[in-house]
């Protein structure tokens, strides 16, 4: 018994020894430096932390804050829904207990408990040097520096204020919590030379690499205006085209003047003697379009022409409303037109939509062509476009010209295009509407004679056989020669061009069949009007019936072939015309295309997303959508099913699309029939993008089609 007790005690002692060893393996970290010097692997182990330091910045909305101990700083995530973390103030001395995390750029602390020990004046901030400003060694430190406050933007969705401070021709970006008092006080400091204290944060990429700086200030109390009156000369008056030339100091304020051509909430556009200027303002000035104004402020370089940020705006004269500069065919869009009001005639190529800002207000965009140059036209946010704005329409456009520069030639200035920003819907005039004439309407005018249908059938069969031969040749050589991929696409598109013609001819052919039946009835009625014995009339009517039946069978066969050809071309027509997947995203495009198809046929369709959806390039999204659409169409047409399930599943690296029905099924080994290209085209389309199409079906047990890609890395946006 005693021996057993001694053995039990030995085991307990060994367990306590091992537990103590494990605790010693992760000693409690008691300083910011000890946490920040951990490797990513060690920080991910959640090592215990218990330290004291001073709070220098707080985000009360999220319960996050920065600590600083006089030498090192660190980011801390407060306990979830913690009132203590959200009530902290800059200057509080706190004790933090928690564990280490990897952080996004450097190791951070996940706090489990916070105790406020007192409140003291914040540590003296360290002066920021040029080396520290860009070095990844410095992060989360409490710093101070100087510069001119030149920009303020309220980020309502983030409950913050974004500031820009110009320092030695560089822009420092600063974030500050929003409050009405903060906004008012910062407006008073606008364009002043200030010294400010802030946390030196880091902007980083997913590979934990520093790509920029962001500074976090608590309030306008962190900004002190610096009196430079003894060293500042009066602002020099310059013409717009003279700004930022050789010998002009970028640190001093200047004056310039021009006529207002457009006035926005935070900016206005001026026309000078030889150039135009975009002027950023803190608040909308009390001026009107046509006023001649004097502006005083600072200038900073931009890719095309300098930017101007105005401290003050003064009306010095009234002029007529400025007329736009008319641009004709032989005129060049050059630097002198940047930010100026221009007018030109262009052809609408495509209309689209872009989404801007956190409020989700849509800004309409048109793609237009000015002779051989394409350019974008931007409408005011929330504008609604007229139905007359269709591709092919000729437009007269008036707006602010934004010249773009070829950024690939960093050593050389070269204009490579422009865009146009309209001031209102009055700046667009439709000169010529989009043409009415289309191929479909022309085909309707061809008539409904049977001879035309027969000729069309011959034409269709010849082209169909040509496509078959070309597709077979391309499929055999596609893996050996890259150029065959383009020929395969051309072959499919040649096949698809038949669709509209075949649909129109099918309509006319159906009409002709109905007309032939009506003529037969009228002919029977006509003969029966005469007093002819049934023995004589019977053979005649029988002969008419036989001839009509033979013609009806021939026309029915012709109509069936047309309908099959038309169905085979629908998927590729959607690819060529709509571009739906590239604009909407893959899941939304599937819903837009497949749900109307199910509604028409009465089939119950369900579409489900699994995994985290990723944005893919337009080309692969379109082809995945078209392949899925053809799989669903085949199920609707052939399976006699009442339910179809579509599952779009994004895996860690690739994706899968499963189309399953509970219909009659078929022999999967015997599906390749002469003259049918549906499944063959689906396989070729997916093979082109590195995907695989599998078919699992058994008679009486339904069909499952699986489209899979092992990796979408090459196609992700």
């Amino acid at each position: 018994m005693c021996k057993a007790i001694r053995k039990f005690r030995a085991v307990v002692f060994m367990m306590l020894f091992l537990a103590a060893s494990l605790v010693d393996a992760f000693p409690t970290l008691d300083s910011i430096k000890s946490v920040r010097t951990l490797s990513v692997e060690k920080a991910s182990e959640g090592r215990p932390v218990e330290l004291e330091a001073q709070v220098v910045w707080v985000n009360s909305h999220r319960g996050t804050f920065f600590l600083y101990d006089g030498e090192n700083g660190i980011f801390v995530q407060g306990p979830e829904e913690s009132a203590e973390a959200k009530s902290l103030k800059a200057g509080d001395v706190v004790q933090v207990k928690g564990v280490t995390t990897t952080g996004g750029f450097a190791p951070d602390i996940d706090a489990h408990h916070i105790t406020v020990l007192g409140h003291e004046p914040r540590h003296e901030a360290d002066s920021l040097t040029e080396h520290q400003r860009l070095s990844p060694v410095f992060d989360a430190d409490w710093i101070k520096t100087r510069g001119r406050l030149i920009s303020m933007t309220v980020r309502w969705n983030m409950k913050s204020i974004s500031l820009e401070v110009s320092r030695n021709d560089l822009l420092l970006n600063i974030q500050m919590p929003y409050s009405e008092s903060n906004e008012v006080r910062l407006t008073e400091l606008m364009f002043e030379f200030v010294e400010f204290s802030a946390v030196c944060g880091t902007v980083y990429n997913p590979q934990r690499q520093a790509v920029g700086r962001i500074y976090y200030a608590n309030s306008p109390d962190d900004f002190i205006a610096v009196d430079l009156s003894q060293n500042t000369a009066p602002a020099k008056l310059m013409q717009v085209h003279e700004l930022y030339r050789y010998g002009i100091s970028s640190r001093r304020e200047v004056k310039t003047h021009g006529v207002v051509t457009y006035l926005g909430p935070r900016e206005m556009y001026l026309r000078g003697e030889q150039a135009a200027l975009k002027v950023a303002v803190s608040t909308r000035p009390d001026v009107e379009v046509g006023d001649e104004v004097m502006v005083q402020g600072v200038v900073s370089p931009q890719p095309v022409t300098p930017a101007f940020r105005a401290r003050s705006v003064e009306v010095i004269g009234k002029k007529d409303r400025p007329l736009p500069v008319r641009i004709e065919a032989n005129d060049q869009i050059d630097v002198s037109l940047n930010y100026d009001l221009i007018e030109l005639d262009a052809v609408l190529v495509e209309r689209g939509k872009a989404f801007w800002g956190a409020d989700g207000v849509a800004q309409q965009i048109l793609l237009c062509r000015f002779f051989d140059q394409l350019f974008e036209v931007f409408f005011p946010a929330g504008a609604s476009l007229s139905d007359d704005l269709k591709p092919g329409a000729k437009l007269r456009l008036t707006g602010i010209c934004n010249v773009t520069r070829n950024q690939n030639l960093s050593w050389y200035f070269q204009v490579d295009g422009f865009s146009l920003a309209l001031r209102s819907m009055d700046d667009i005039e439709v000169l010529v509407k989009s043409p009415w004439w289309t191929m479909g309407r022309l085909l309707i005018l061809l008539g409904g004679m049977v001879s035309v249908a027969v000729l069309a059938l011959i034409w269709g069969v010849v082209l169909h056989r040509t496509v078959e031969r070309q597709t077979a040749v391309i499929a055999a050589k596609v893996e050996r020669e890259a150029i065959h991929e383009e020929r395969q696409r051309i072959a499919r598109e040649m096949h698809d061009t038949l669709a509209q013609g075949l649909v129109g001819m099918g309509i006319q052919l159906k009409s002709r069949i109905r007309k032939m039946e009506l003529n037969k009835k009228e002919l029977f009625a006509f003969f029966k009007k005469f007093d002819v014995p049934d023995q004589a009339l019977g053979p005649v009517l029988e002969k008419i019936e036989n001839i009509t039946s033979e013609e009806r069978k021939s026309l029915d066969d012709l109509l069936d072939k047309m309908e099959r050809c038309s169905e085979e071309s629908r998927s590729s027509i959607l690819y060529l015309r709509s571009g739906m997947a590239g604009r909407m995203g893959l899941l939304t495009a599937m819903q837009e295309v497949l749900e109307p198809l199910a509604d028409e046929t009465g089939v119950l369709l369900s579409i489900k997303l699994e995994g985290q959806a990723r944005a893919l390039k337009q080309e692969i999204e379109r082809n995945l959508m078209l392949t899925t659409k053809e799989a669903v169409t085949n199920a609707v047409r052939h399976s006699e099913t009442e339910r179809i399930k579509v599952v779009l599943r994004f895996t860690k690296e690739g994706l899968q699309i499963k189309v399953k029905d509970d219909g009659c099924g078929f022999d999967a080994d015997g599906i390749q029939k002469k003259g049918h290209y549906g499944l063959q085209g689906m396989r070729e389309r997916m093979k082109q993008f590195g995907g695989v199409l599998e078919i699992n079906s058994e008679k009486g047990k339904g069909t499952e089609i699986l489209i899979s890609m092992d990796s979408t890395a090459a196609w992700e946006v």
Side-chain angles (χ1 to χ4, degrees):
M1 184 68 178
C2 294
K3 185 177 181 181
I5 293 174
R6 286 196 298 271
K7 185 175 181 181
F8 175 75
R9 289 176 177 175
V11 171
V12 171
F13 178 78
M14 183 61 69
M15 293 176 65
L16 292 174
F17 177 78
L18 291 175
S21 300
L22 290 174
V23 172
D24 292 338
F26 297 103
T28 300
L29 304 174
D30 59 0
S31 67
I32 294 176
K33 183 176 181 180
S34 63
V35 178
R36 300 286 277 185
T37 54
L38 291 176
S39 65
V40 175
E41 292 75 15
K42 291 181 179 180
S44 66
E45 296 171 346
R47 301 196 173 200
V49 177
E50 182 177 343
L51 56 83
E52 296 180 7
Q54 187 178 50
V55 177
V56 290
W57 185 87
V58 180
N59 186 332
S60 59
H61 299 293
R62 298 185 178 181
T64 59
F65 53 95
F66 283 96
L67 292 178
Y68 188 67
D69 61 6
E71 295 183 357
N72 299 283
I74 195 167
F75 177 79
V76 181
Q77 173 66 58
E80 187 175 356
E81 302 298 330
S82 169
E84 292 84 356
K86 294 184 178 181
S87 63
L88 290 175
K89 300 290 187 297
D92 286 347
V93 178
V94 297
Q95 181 188 62
V96 173
K97 295 181 180 180
V99 295
T100 62
T101 67
T102 59
F105 178 68
D108 295 336
I109 298 174
D110 186 2
H112 297 160
H113 183 71
I114 302 170
T115 303
V116 178
L117 304 178
H119 187 89
E120 299 177 358
R122 283 177 295 179
H123 291 284
E124 180 68 21
D126 295 329
S127 296
L128 180 72
T129 66
E130 289 300 315
H131 170 69
Q132 292 171 326
R133 193 186 67 80
L134 296 175
S135 174
V137 174
F138 299 92
D139 176 70
D141 290 343
W142 181 238
I143 60 91
K144 64 181 178 181
T145 187
R146 291 184 172 192
R148 188 182 297 277
L149 181 60
I150 63 173
S151 173
M152 177 180 70
T153 303
V154 176
R155 307 289 184 186
W156 300 105
N157 60 319
M158 300 176 63
K159 298 180 180 179
S160 66
I161 300 176
S162 294
L163 305 171
E164 287 184 331
V165 171
S166 175
R167 172 185 167 89
N168 297 333
D169 293 336
L170 297 174
L171 289 181
L172 307 183
N173 296 307
I174 306 168
Q175 293 290 319
M176 180 185 298
Y178 173 78
S179 71
E180 185 175 352
S181 61
N182 284 356
E183 182 180 9
V184 172
R185 293 170 62 190
L186 287 172
T187 302
E188 297 171 353
L189 287 172
M190 193 58 58
F191 297 105
E192 296 290 345
F193 197 86
V194 297
E195 180 178 84
F196 67 92
S197 301
V199 175
C200 180
T202 304
V203 182
Y204 51 87
N205 64 19
Q207 283 75 41
R208 304 175 67 87
Q209 298 169 312
V211 296
R213 282 289 187 210
I214 184 73
Y215 301 90
Y216 298 97
N218 286 283
S219 71
D221 293 338
D222 293 333
F223 288 72
I224 301 175
V226 179
D227 185 9
L228 300 178
S229 58
Q230 297 179 352
N231 301 323
T232 303
K236 183 178 181 181
L237 178 62
M238 309 176 68
Q239 298 294 334
V240 171
H241 62 276
E242 296 175 339
L243 298 174
Y244 229 75
R245 284 185 173 177
Y246 173 73
I248 304 299
S249 174
S250 62
R251 300 185 182 183
R252 299 186 182 276
E253 292 190 6
V254 297
K255 292 183 177 181
T256 189
H257 62 90
V259 178
V260 179
T261 57
Y262 175 62
L263 185 64
R266 293 281 184 174
E267 75 282 335
M268 62 180 181
Y269 293 83
L270 305 182
R271 177 181 288 170
E273 290 185 354
Q274 300 180 26
L277 181 66
K278 180 180 180 181
V279 180
V281 292
S282 300
T283 58
R284 188 184 181 103
D286 186 17
V287 301
E288 297 178 354
V289 173
D291 289 349
E292 184 175 10
V293 298
M294 179 76 70
V295 293
Q296 178 174 335
V298 293
V299 189
S300 59
Q302 294 294 310
V304 178
T305 55
F308 197 96
R309 302 178 186 272
R311 173 201 290 268
S312 63
V313 180
E314 178 186 0
V315 178
I316 59 175
K318 297 282 187 179
K319 293 190 176 183
D320 295 334
R321 192 176 183 88
L323 298 176
V325 178
R326 177 67 184 176
I327 308 298
E328 301 292 351
N330 297 325
D331 296 335
Q332 295 292 325
I333 303 293
D334 56 24
V335 177
S336 66
L337 295 175
N338 193 38
Y339 299 142
D340 205 352
L341 183 65
I342 68 171
E343 177 188 88
L344 52 79
D345 296 342
V347 176
L348 175 57
V349 176
E350 185 179 357
R351 55 188 289 173
K353 182 183 294 183
F355 293 89
W356 300 83
D359 54 4
V361 177
Q363 182 175 13
Q364 304 285 345
I365 297 178
L366 300 181
L367 180 64
C368 295
R369 176 171 52 83
F370 178 65
F371 293 93
D372 60 347
Q373 189 169 11
L374 292 175
F375 66 98
E376 290 182 321
V377 179
F378 295 87
F379 287 80
S384 179
L385 300 190
S386 168
D387 292 337
D388 292 337
L389 297 179
K390 297 180 180 179
K394 186 175 181 181
L395 310 175
R396 177 158 294 169
L397 304 169
T398 304
I400 301 297
C401 177
N402 290 274
V403 176
T404 57
R405 174 187 171 189
N406 188 343
Q407 298 288 357
N408 294 325
L409 303 177
S410 58
W411 65 92
Y412 179 71
F413 184 89
Q414 182 183 60
V415 172
D416 66 354
F418 70 100
S419 64
L420 205 62
L422 305 189
R423 302 165 298 176
S424 69
M425 294 303 297
D426 295 334
D427 282 341
I428 184 168
E429 177 184 357
V430 179
L431 301 178
V432 181
K433 292 185 178 181
S434 179
W436 175 89
W437 183 90
T438 63
M439 180 62 70
R441 289 170 178 162
L442 176 63
L443 291 174
I444 293 176
L445 298 177
L446 293 179
M449 297 183 65
V450 176
S451 58
V452 175
V454 173
L455 291 175
L457 176 62
I458 296 173
W459 172 60
V461 170
V462 171
L463 287 181
H464 194 82
R465 290 179 178 176
T466 302
V467 171
E468 181 180 1
R469 290 194 299 270
Q470 292 177 343
T471 302
V473 172
I474 293 171
K477 297 182 179 180
V478 66
E479 295 182 352
R480 298 194 299 269
E481 302 179 34
I483 192 173
H484 288 181
E485 293 183 3
E486 181 67 8
R487 291 179 178 175
Q488 183 179 352
R489 183 182 66 83
I490 294 173
R492 286 196 298 269
E493 291 182 3
M494 288 175 60
H495 178 57
D496 293 341
T497 57
L498 300 175
Q500 287 186 349
L502 292 175
V503 169
M505 294 170 194
I507 293 172
Q508 296 297 325
L509 188 56
K510 290 178 181 178
S511 176
R512 189 60 184 174
I513 292 173
R514 290 193 298 269
K515 183 67 175 177
M516 183 176 65
E517 290 293 336
L518 182 60
N519 289 341
K520 182 184 74 174
K521 293 179 180 179
E522 291 177 352
L523 191 60
F524 279 8
F526 174 76
F527 278 115
K528 290 181 179 180
K529 289 180 180 179
F530 299 97
D531 188 13
V532 180
D534 292 340
Q535 294 82 357
L537 184 59
V540 175
L541 297 180
E542 183 179 359
K543 182 66 173 179
I544 294 174
E545 179 67 33
N546 292 338
I547 294 174
T548 304
S549 298
E550 292 177 0
E551 291 297 324
R552 174 63 184 268
K553 184 177 182 302
S554 176
L555 294 177
D556 285 341
D557 291 342
L558 178 61
L559 181 61
D560 181 64
K561 292 179 180 179
M562 283 185 176
E563 289 179 345
R564 288 202 302 267
C565 291
S566 177
E567 179 63 29
E568 290 176 3
S569 65
R570 287 181 183 174
S571 295
S572 292
I573 287 176
L574 183 61
Y575 165 72
L576 293 173
R577 286 184 176 177
S578 69
M580 188 176 296
R583 294 195 301 269
M584 293 184 174
L586 185 54
L587 179 63
T588 305
M590 286 184 178
Q591 293 170 339
E592 291 290 328
V593 173
L594 301 182
E595 289 178 354
L597 177 63
D599 292 341
E600 292 176 3
T601 58
V603 174
L604 182 60
L605 174 68
S606 65
I607 303 176
K608 181 180 179 183
L609 172 66
E610 294 182 357
Q612 184 64 42
R614 296 186 293 275
L616 304 177
K617 294 180 179 178
Q618 180 176 347
E619 185 177 5
I620 185 63
E621 283 193 347
R622 284 178 171 173
N623 280 274
L624 289 169
M625 185 267 290
L626 292 174
T627 305
T628 306
K629 186 258 183 185
E630 187 155 352
V632 173
T633 301
N634 288 340
V636 170
R637 288 189 57 194
H638 305 298
S639 70
E640 302 176 1
T641 184
E642 296 181 354
R643 181 187 300 270
I644 299 176
K645 295 182 180 179
V646 179
V647 178
L648 171 60
R649 179 172 179 263
F650 282 88
T651 61
K652 184 177 181 181
E653 296 181 353
L655 63 79
Q656 294 178 346
I657 301 175
K658 181 168 67 175
V659 180
K660 182 177 179 59
D661 65 69
D662 56 1
C664 61
F666 60 90
D667 181 6
D669 296 330
I671 59 176
Q672 299 297 335
K673 298 180 180 179
K674 182 177 180 181
H676 291 268
Y677 300 95
L679 294 174
Q680 179 181 349
M682 292 165 67
R683 283 196 174 97
E684 291 173 353
R685 182 180 290 115
M686 294 314 304
K687 184 177 181 181
Q688 181 183 5
F689 295 94
V692 176
L693 185 138
E694 301 178 12
I695 302 171
N696 299 312
S697 183
E698 186 176 346
K699 290 185 177 181
K701 295 185 179 180
T703 301
E704 179 180 284
I705 294 181
L706 183 63
I707 304 163
S708 59
M709 298 183 67
D710 292 337
S711 174
T712 59
W715 303 101
E716 293 178 10
V717 177

